[in-house]
């Protein structure tokens, strides 16, 4: 595999991390802040620097390259596969009446299933129901593992943009299918958050909209715990996510709030929150979050036959805000466990997609570090 990486920070020229030699039909990830990706002059500049066909764009809540974290920048990673191949399909959720499950089913039906090894998803992140999207993607009983993430918009929470080949726009969902027996792809997703306070029951919800907890208005109860910080919702929820555990499920998931509705005291979360599920508030420290990233790297490296050539990191904006100036520690901890030659690229997101370790069905996570490690 041949890999070329470059970054462009605000008011600076392009900086290539290695020699910019021509590649043959590479897959190109372009992660950057939303305002930059909406600038057509910047998009043309990217295409001039990387004159290839398969450019995949996604807006972020922060960019990751090498061992560094960036804001208001563009990071580009071009990957030429020597023995493997990939297929890319896209659709816009606005064309499906915001029905994420229907869109997911449409996309998976477009991907050839023969020899399909892995699927990476880059999705709209501001209003999509990630749980429903995954359900649609897994509707054909595909044998491929699914990982990826929801795009971000910094701490603005206004809208996200993504695209394949064309200028980025709202509502886009892109899936990349990887094919080939020589591919080795591993993954892991770990948070580092710990629950506190009483465990309660979700008594009224619809999909990813939470109305009542213990028969009390969800927003009122949540705001009571936040105290003065309630006026800063939904951003404040990134520091105090919810632990949700469904009946008969072994593992719990972390959920953050995308938006609030003060008229009916409800909260819209990034994934489904089923009725009768147990729910509890969570919190963390910088050391615990960095420890979660280290654990994710350990799990992703477990039983690999070959060292990874590229690591795609999808972390959560909540982790970035909570870790603040120490945010790069979680990236550095990952690099410690990987080979020094492994290239790292990624972004801070509004949601992460991966199965629990040792399982096959994907889950929408919030507030985790999710890794996808690739080699040929």
């Amino acid at each position: 595999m041949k890999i070329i990486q470059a970054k462009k920070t605000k008011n600076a020229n392009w900086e290539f991390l290695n020699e910019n030699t021509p590649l043959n039909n590479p897959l190109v990830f372009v992660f950057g802040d939303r305002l930059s990706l909406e600038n057509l002059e910047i998009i043309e500049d990217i295409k001039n620097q990387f004159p290839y066909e398969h450019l995949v764009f996604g807006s972020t809540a922060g960019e990751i390259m090498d061992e560094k974290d960036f804001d208001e920048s563009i990071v580009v990673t071009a990957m030429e596969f020597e023995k493997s191949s990939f297929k890319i399909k896209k659709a816009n959720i606005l064309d499906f009446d915001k029905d994420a499950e229907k869109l997911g089913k449409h996309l998976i039906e477009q991907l050839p299933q023969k020899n399909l090894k892995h699927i990476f998803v880059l999705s709209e992140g501001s209003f999509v129901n990630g749980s429903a999207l995954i359900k649609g993607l897994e509707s054909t009983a595909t044998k491929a593992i699914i990982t990826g993430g929801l795009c971000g918009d910094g701490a603005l929470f206004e809208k996200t943009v993504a695209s394949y080949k064309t200028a980025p726009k709202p509502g886009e969902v892109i899936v990349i299918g990887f094919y080939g027996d020589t591919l080795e792809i591993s993954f892991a997703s770990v948070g580092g958050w710990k629950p506190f306070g009483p465990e309660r029951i979700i008594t009224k919800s619809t999909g990813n909209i939470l109305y009542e907890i213990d028969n009390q208005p969800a927003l009122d109860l949540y705001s009571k715990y936040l105290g003065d910080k309630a006026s800063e919702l939904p951003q404040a929820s990134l520091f105090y996510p919810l632990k949700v555990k469904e009946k008969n499920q072994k593992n719990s998931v972390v959920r953050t709030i995308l938006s609030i509705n003060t008229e009916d005291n409800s909260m819209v979360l990034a994934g489904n929150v089923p009725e009768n599920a147990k729910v509890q508030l969570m919190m963390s420290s910088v050391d615990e979050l960095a420890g979660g990233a280290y654990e994710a790297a350990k799990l992703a490296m477990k039983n690999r036959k070959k060292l990874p050539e590229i690591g795609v990191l999808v972390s959560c904006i909540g982790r970035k805000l909570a870790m603040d100036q120490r945010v790069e520690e979680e990236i550095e901890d990952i690099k410690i466990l990987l080979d020094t030659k492994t290239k790292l690229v990624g972004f801070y997101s509004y949601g992460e997609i991966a199965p629990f370790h040792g399982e096959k069905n994907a889950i929408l996570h919030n507030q985790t570090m999710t890794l996808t490690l690739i080699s040929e």
Side-chain angles (χ1 to χ4, degrees):
M1 183 187 298
K2 296 179 181 177
I3 301 170
I4 293 177
Q5 292 188 294
K7 67 177 186 288
K8 181 175 173 46
T9 54
K10 196 172 184 179
N11 301 320
N13 295 322
W14 283 98
E15 179 184 346
F16 283 81
L17 275 65
N18 47 2
E19 187 178 354
N20 185 19
T21 56
L23 298 178
N24 180 30
N25 195 40
L27 167 63
V28 185
F29 280 133
V30 183
F31 300 137
D33 73 288
R34 190 255 301 175
L35 296 178
S36 294
L37 293 187
E38 289 183 319
N39 186 321
L40 294 181
E41 290 184 3
I42 292 177
I43 296 301
E44 286 305 309
D45 183 24
I46 293 169
K47 290 182 176 180
N48 287 333
Q49 295 290 336
F50 293 87
Y52 303 114
E53 179 181 2
H54 302 296
L55 273 69
V56 176
F57 299 87
S59 67
T60 77
E63 302 80 49
I64 297 170
M65 177 162 280
D66 198 18
E67 297 178 45
K68 301 295 182 181
D69 154 73
F70 302 94
D71 289 300
E72 299 182 346
S73 72
I74 305 289
V75 298
V76 182
T77 296
M79 297 167 276
E80 175 187 311
F81 295 91
E82 299 176 45
K83 301 176 182 178
S84 311
S85 62
F86 59 88
K87 298 282 185 182
I88 305 176
K89 301 295 178 181
K90 67 174 182 177
N92 197 293
I93 195 169
L94 300 177
D95 296 330
F96 291 80
D97 296 323
K98 295 187 178 180
D99 187 331
E101 183 177 346
K102 186 186 295 184
L103 177 142
K105 186 175 182 181
H106 168 79
L107 282 173
I108 197 65
E109 289 173 349
Q110 306 307 304
L111 276 181
Q113 294 296 304
K114 186 176 180 180
N115 297 323
L116 178 59
K117 191 77 172 274
H118 192 93
I119 299 170
F120 188 87
V121 181
L122 187 65
S123 170
E124 192 288 328
S126 56
F127 56 80
V128 71
N129 182 334
S131 298
L133 174 63
I134 293 168
K135 185 177 181 180
L137 288 170
E138 294 186 337
S139 62
T140 61
T142 178
K143 294 181 180 180
I145 295 294
I146 300 173
T147 62
L150 310 185
C151 291
D153 183 26
L156 297 176
F157 292 91
E158 294 175 356
K159 62 178 178 178
T160 67
V161 297
S163 68
Y164 168 47
K165 295 186 180 182
T166 59
K169 60 183 179 180
E172 291 287 279
V173 179
I174 299 105
V175 294
I176 306 166
F178 293 94
Y179 300 80
D181 294 334
T182 59
L183 278 173
E184 183 179 8
I185 303 179
S186 59
F187 65 91
S189 183
V190 178
W193 298 83
K194 60 183 180 183
F196 72 95
E199 191 173 62
R200 299 179 181 272
I201 301 296
I202 295 174
T203 48
K204 185 179 179 181
S205 65
T206 303
N208 63 330
I209 305 175
L210 177 56
Y211 292 101
E212 293 182 2
I213 300 173
D214 281 354
N215 296 308
Q216 300 178 56
L219 182 57
D220 286 351
L221 186 61
Y222 187 79
S223 298
K224 181 180 178 181
Y225 274 98
L226 261 59
D228 294 340
K229 293 184 179 293
S231 62
E232 302 172 19
L233 284 170
Q235 288 88 342
S237 71
L238 296 170
F239 297 92
Y240 301 96
L242 298 176
K243 172 187 174 183
V244 179
K245 186 175 183 180
E246 296 184 45
K247 263 190 171 183
N248 304 319
Q249 290 293 320
K250 181 176 67 174
N251 297 299
S252 59
V253 295
V254 183
R255 289 283 176 261
T256 49
I257 299 166
L258 294 179
S259 62
I260 60 174
N261 187 334
T262 55
E263 292 184 4
D264 60 9
N265 286 307
S266 67
M267 305 188 296
V268 178
L269 289 92
N272 286 345
V273 280
E275 290 183 358
N276 298 315
K278 295 179 180 179
V279 63
Q280 195 173 12
L281 265 71
M282 305 187 82
M283 62 187 298
S284 192
S285 67
V286 173
D287 289 338
E288 288 168 327
L289 293 175
Y294 185 83
E295 181 64 21
K298 280 177 60 178
L299 292 173
M301 288 293 289
K302 193 175 182 180
N303 299 324
R304 281 191 65 94
K305 297 176 182 177
K306 186 179 179 182
L307 292 171
E309 295 172 84
I310 183 80
V312 183
L313 280 53
V314 183
S315 189
C316 181
I317 180 178
R319 301 171 66 85
K320 180 178 172 68
L321 294 177
M323 298 182 84
D324 198 20
Q325 295 180 354
R326 293 175 62 187
V327 67
E328 289 180 354
E329 288 185 22
E330 69 171 358
I331 310 171
E332 293 166 357
D333 283 352
I334 289 171
K335 189 71 172 179
I336 289 171
L337 277 168
L338 305 184
D339 188 76
T340 54
K341 295 180 180 179
T342 302
K343 310 295 185 184
L344 298 182
V345 68
F347 63 97
Y348 286 89
S349 73
Y350 286 176
E352 307 83 57
I353 297 172
F356 286 110
H357 184 73
E359 299 186 7
K360 294 183 178 180
N361 291 331
I363 300 289
L364 176 76
H365 304 272
N366 297 131
Q367 304 283 24
T368 67
M369 168 60 83
T370 295
L371 291 84
T372 304
L373 305 182
I374 307 172
S375 62
E376 282 192 292

